[in-house]
Each structure stands twice: as C-alpha cells, then as structure tokens.
Amino acid sequence: MHYIEPRDVTIRVTNFEMEGTLQGNLDSFIYESSNSHFQFWFPEGKIDSLQLDRKDLKKEQLEIVEACEAKIKEYF
C-alpha cells in the first residue's frame, strides 16, 4: 500500500476549510492543523486515525475524518 509522506493540504468540509499536514494511507493517517475550527473539534490539534473510535465521533468530527480520507484518495 502507498504511503503519503507529510505534505501540506487543505481539507474542506461543509462549513469551513483548514490548512494542515497530512501523512499516511487509508489504513492509518495523521492530520495536524492549527486551524481554530479544527481545534474546536479536535482540541489536541491532531487526528490519529488509529486512535479514533468512529462510533464516538460527533457528526462534524466524522465529516472532518472523512474529508481527510478523501484527500488521501486523491493521491492514489
């Protein structure tokens, strides 16, 4: 499976877009951003997909995670 080295990306969701760094693949990715909207939903400023439990995510958080996955798919 391909691996995306850390790269600067723009993630777009319904209500906002954010600049950040994305790395990994569809099975395991990390997204980091200092965007205030992102940090509202992910206060640590980071998504580690291996640490997520999707059933515990709010709708807005899940939308951000899915946008990250869609961005990864663009590179494959």
Side-chain angles (χ1 to χ4, degrees), residues 11-15 58-68:
I11 301 295
R12 290 178 180 85
V13 293
T14 304
N15 295 320
K58 294 180 173 74
K59 178 184 156 229
E60 292 84 355
Q61 290 171 308
L62 187 57
E63 183 180 15
I64 293 169
V65 170
E66 290 173 347
C68 290

Side-chain angles (χ1 to χ4, degrees), residues 2-65:
H2 297 305
Y3 182 86
I4 298 171
E5 295 296 326
R7 62 180 66 195
D8 294 331
V9 296
T10 300
I11 301 295
R12 290 178 180 85
V13 293
T14 304
N15 295 320
F16 61 93
E17 66 179 42
M18 59 208 145
E19 300 291 323
T21 304
L22 181 66
Q23 65 182 332
N25 57 43
L26 286 175
D27 293 329
S28 171
F29 69 86
I30 294 176
Y31 177 74
E32 296 179 85
S33 177
S34 60
N35 179 283
S36 61
H37 294 292
F38 176 74
Q39 290 187 343
F40 177 81
W41 294 109
F42 294 93
E44 60 281 351
K46 176 177 159 180
I47 296 173
D48 181 342
S49 66
L50 295 178
Q51 304 285 326
L52 293 177
D53 188 352
R54 287 179 181 255
K55 68 179 186 253
D56 292 336
L57 296 178
K58 294 180 173 74
K59 178 184 156 229
E60 292 84 355
Q61 290 171 308
L62 187 57
E63 183 180 15
I64 293 169
V65 170

